[in-house]
């Protein structure tokens, strides 16, 4: 619980550790709202200075938007920046109005460039770009804007420990002590040559156990993996997971060490990529946010809906082309939803596994054929089981409801289910791999594309089987 000034009791905040708000904080919310309405800036600032930034963040997110904006603008530089670090991106972007951006411009202009750059990394990209645009005279901060979105250069931290190969272990430890205030956590010391090019790394644990006179050139691991500034952040994450790296060094085109991707940034990248993939799999633009305007919502979702409409129209056209067969045997219409559902589910399952394998780096190029063969036989088995069950249900139903040629209907429906399930799974497993090879986010495959294509294939295969085995 946060402490408060005695004259402002009982205005206190109980930390909310779950998504559900606590009723005990309702009185505090009411009191804060009244102080904001009354314009009691001095009193409320004195109160919140004694709160933990996380508690202030929770308070902001529970207030009405107009009150949150005003309160945020009232906060002085020190607590407000700490609060921003705790806010989720969607809340930060809501609070970042022109007057607030001017407030942060003044704050950043007075900071060390490295500290300012690190703080900028806490903001959503669009807000950071706006702040950078307001700091034209700060060259080092503005350099960040030169890197493309979602690249290593955009998210890298410029604080790191880099020493030359002829530096001794004792000197390195002393240097780390001197850098302790500037760099909070150091897991790896980077080693460079006389030109500043990255040549190796030394883990801190190994450095502390080494004799003081031992040079880094003899201690370092020369098998160093680095990324360039234009490397996509998803590729950085994939590399870090594959090589079990806590931090990833970033080098210039000439091989000079210029930054590192910290554990905190790797965690953030993983969360960003997971959220983007989830949105793409749902048929929503990866840039969508909960605070989007109506125009942005429409722009992000309408293209996917129209793509789904095209797919559904093609499937409807296929069904319409078999109008005579449906008129002759109306019972076939009852099995169309079953076929489309099985095709969609099989395709989504296979594509989800493929996307996960690509994202985590578990799907290697040499392993693709073996994975596809396994996917084929698994889908074949699943389709066979589902087909047998559907055939049995058809035969059981024929004992209750009169059906024409139930035996042939059972064969047609079970074979169509077998073929549809197998083909849909192969499409779902293959398309993400193809998209990844041509540089398109494979998560896009799980959305409208897989669903629509498998609906069309499912309906087409179903009527081909029905025509061959039932209508003949």
């Amino acid at each position: 619980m946060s402490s408060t000034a005695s004259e402002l009791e009982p205005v206190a905040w109980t930390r909310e550790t779950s998504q559900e708000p606590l009723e005990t904080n309702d009185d505090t919310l009411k009191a804060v709202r009244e102080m904001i309405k009354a314009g009691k800036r001095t009193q409320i600032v004195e109160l919140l200075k004694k709160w933990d930034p996380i508690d202030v963040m929770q308070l902001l997110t529970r207030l009405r938007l107009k009150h949150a904006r005003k309160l945020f603008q009232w906060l002085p530089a020190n607590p407000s920046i700490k609060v921003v670090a705790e806010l989720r991106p969607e809340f930060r972007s809501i609070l970042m109005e022109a007057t607030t951006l001017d407030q942060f411009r003044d704050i950043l202009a007075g900071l060390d460039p490295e500290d300012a750059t690190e703080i900028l990394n806490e903001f959503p990209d669009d807000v950071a770009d706006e702040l950078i645009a307001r700091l034209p005279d700060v060259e080092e901060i503005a350099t960040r804007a030169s890197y493309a979105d979602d690249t290593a250069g955009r998210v890298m931290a410029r604080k790191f420990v880099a020493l030359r190969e002829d530096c001794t272990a004792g000197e390195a430890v002393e240097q780390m002590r001197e850098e302790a205030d500037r760099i909070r956590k150091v897991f790896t010391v980077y080693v460079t040559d006389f030109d500043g090019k990255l040549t190796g790394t030394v883990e801190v644990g190994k450095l502390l156990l080494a004799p003081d006179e031992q040079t880094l050139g003899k201690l370092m691991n020369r098998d160093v993996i680095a990324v360039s500034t234009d490397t996509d952040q998803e590729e950085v994450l994939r590399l870090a997971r594959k090589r079990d790296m806590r931090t990833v060094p970033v080098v210039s085109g000439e091989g000079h060490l210029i930054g590192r991707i910290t554990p905190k940034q790797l965690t953030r990248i993983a969360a960003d990529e997971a959220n983007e993939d989830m949105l793409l799999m749902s048929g929503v633009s990866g840039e969508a946010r909960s605070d989007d305007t109506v125009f942005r919502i429409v722009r992000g979702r309408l293209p996917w809906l129209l793509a789904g409409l095209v797919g559904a129209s093609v499937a409807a056209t296929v069904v319409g082309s078999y109008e005579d067969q449906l008129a002759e045997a109306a019972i076939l219409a009852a099995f169309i939803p079953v076929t489309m559902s099985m095709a969609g589910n099989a395709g989504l399952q296979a594509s989800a596994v493929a996307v996960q394998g690509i994202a985590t780096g578990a799907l290697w190029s040499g392993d693709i054929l073996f994975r596809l063969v396994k996917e084929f036989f698994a889908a074949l088995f699943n389709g066979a089981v589902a087909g047998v069950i559907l055939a049995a249900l058809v035969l059981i139903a024929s004992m209750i409801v009169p059906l024409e040629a139930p035996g042939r209907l059972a064969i047609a429906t079970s074979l169509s289910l077998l073929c549809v399930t197998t083909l849909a799974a192969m499409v779902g497993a293959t398309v993400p791999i193809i998209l990844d090879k041509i540089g398109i986010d494979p998560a896009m495959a799980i959305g409208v594309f897989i669903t629509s294509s498998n609906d069309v294939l499912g309906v087409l295969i179903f009527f081909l089987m029905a025509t061959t085995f039932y209508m003949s």
Side-chain angles (χ1 to χ4, degrees):
M1 180 181 292
S2 302
S3 59
T4 65
S6 59
E7 66 270 17
L8 294 173
E9 294 289 359
V11 183
W13 189 265
T14 303
R15 179 72 54 82
E16 296 176 348
T17 57
S18 66
Q19 296 297 324
E20 293 297 326
L22 297 176
E23 292 184 2
T24 53
N25 288 327
D26 290 346
D27 290 339
T28 299
L29 282 168
K30 182 178 179 181
V32 170
R33 279 197 299 267
E34 293 301 322
M35 282 192 283
I36 294 173
K37 291 178 182 179
K40 297 181 179 179
R41 177 174 181 171
T42 302
Q43 293 93 320
I44 199 168
V45 167
E46 287 300 315
L47 167 68
L48 298 186
K49 275 183 178 180
K50 300 178 182 180
W51 285 26
D52 188 282
I54 296 177
D55 295 337
V56 180
M57 177 271 292
Q58 291 184 350
L59 171 68
L60 283 168
T61 59
R62 291 280 304 278
L63 289 170
R64 290 181 60 186
L65 183 54
K66 66 176 183 179
H67 294 149
R69 283 173 172 159
K70 179 175 288 189
L71 176 57
F72 190 74
Q73 290 169 6
W74 283 357
L75 292 176
N78 184 40
S80 60
I81 281 190
K82 292 179 180 178
V83 170
V84 167
E86 299 295 339
L87 282 173
R88 296 200 299 273
E90 58 266 32
F91 288 119
R92 295 180 208 156
S93 58
I94 289 172
L95 294 172
M96 294 295 104
E97 290 188 322
T99 53
T100 314
L101 289 172
D102 289 337
Q103 178 184 358
F104 273 95
R105 176 199 60 199
D106 297 337
I107 294 170
L108 293 172
L111 294 176
D112 177 87
E114 289 189 350
D115 292 332
T117 302
E118 187 171 332
I119 288 172
L120 280 170
N121 286 334
E122 300 288 344
F123 289 88
D125 287 339
D126 53 347
V127 179
D129 289 342
E130 181 65 29
L131 282 169
I132 291 170
R134 294 166 183 254
L135 293 164
D137 298 329
V138 186
E139 183 177 352
E140 187 171 339
I141 296 176
T143 301
R144 184 180 185 275
S146 65
Y147 300 117
D149 290 341
D150 299 333
T151 60
R154 194 62 174 265
V155 299
M156 69 180 180
R158 296 178 181 272
K159 295 181 180 180
F160 52 86
V161 177
L163 302 169
R164 294 194 320 193
E165 295 181 15
D166 59 348
C167 179
T168 65
E171 293 171 339
V173 172
E174 185 61 31
Q175 182 69 29
M176 288 171 56
R177 289 185 182 132
E178 293 178 3
E179 299 282 356
D181 291 337
R182 189 175 69 91
I183 305 175
R184 297 184 184 89
K185 295 181 181 179
V186 178
F187 301 102
T188 304
V189 173
Y190 298 109
V191 186
T192 64
D193 60 15
F194 291 93
D195 295 325
K197 295 182 179 179
L198 182 65
T199 57
T201 60
V202 179
E203 295 300 318
V204 171
K206 183 177 181 180
L207 185 64
L208 294 174
L209 295 174
D212 287 347
E213 66 277 3
Q214 188 81 38
T215 63
L216 298 186
K218 294 181 180 180
L219 286 172
M220 71 180 184
N221 173 25
R222 294 184 180 274
D223 183 23
V224 60
I225 302 296
V227 298
S228 62
T229 54
D230 59 353
T231 302
D232 186 89
Q233 65 176 22
E234 188 173 5
E235 183 60 33
V236 174
L237 179 63
R238 195 178 303 174
L239 177 65
R241 285 172 170 172
K242 184 177 179 180
R243 299 296 295 262
D244 194 24
M245 301 169 68
R246 286 187 176 183
T247 62
V248 181
V250 183
V251 297
S252 65
E254 295 77 29
H256 295 102
L257 181 65
I258 58 175
R260 63 175 179 142
I261 310 297
T262 65
K264 182 177 180 180
Q265 287 298 333
L266 289 173
T267 301
R268 177 173 298 167
I269 292 171
D272 289 345
E273 294 299 327
N275 289 335
E276 182 179 348
D277 287 349
M278 181 182 67
L279 291 171
L280 289 173
M281 288 186 291
S282 303
V284 181
S285 169
E287 300 177 355
R289 288 183 177 177
S290 59
D291 61 314
D292 281 345
T293 63
V294 173
F295 175 75
R296 283 179 60 88
I297 293 173
V298 172
R299 187 179 64 181
R301 300 181 188 180
L302 185 59
W304 299 90
L305 292 175
L306 295 179
L309 177 62
V310 171
S313 299
V314 174
T317 302
V318 173
V319 174
S321 65
Y322 287 92
E323 181 181 1
D324 294 338
Q325 286 83 351
L326 284 173
E328 184 178 344
I331 187 61
L332 294 177
F335 293 94
I336 294 176
V338 177
T339 304
M340 294 176 69
S341 175
M342 287 296 294
N345 290 337
L348 288 174
Q349 288 175 344
S351 57
V353 173
V355 169
Q356 182 191 46
I358 293 170
T360 59
L363 186 61
W364 298 356
S365 297
D367 196 33
I368 291 176
L369 182 59
F370 176 68
R371 293 286 187 97
L372 291 179
V373 170
K374 285 202 305 182
E375 198 70 51
F376 172 78
F377 283 107
L380 196 65
F381 180 80
N382 288 337
V385 172
V388 168
I389 293 175
L390 182 59
L393 292 175
V394 170
L395 294 176
I396 293 173
S398 66
M399 300 176 185
I400 303 172
V401 180
L403 295 177
E404 183 178 350
R408 283 186 293 160
L409 181 61
I411 293 174
T413 54
S414 62
L415 286 178
S416 67
L417 217 55
L418 171 65
C419 295
V420 163
T421 302
T422 305
L423 183 58
M426 295 310 296
V427 170
T430 306
V431 169
I433 297 173
I434 295 174
L435 291 179
D436 183 58
K437 294 296 182 183
I438 62 178
I440 300 175
D441 193 330
M444 293 178 64
I446 301 186
V448 177
F449 183 84
I450 292 293
T451 304
S452 299
S453 62
N454 283 340
D455 282 350
V456 174
L457 290 173
V459 171
L460 182 59
I461 290 173
F462 171 72
F463 278 108
L464 287 175
M465 290 295 176
T467 303
T468 304
F469 294 98
Y470 186 61
M471 304 296 295
S472 59

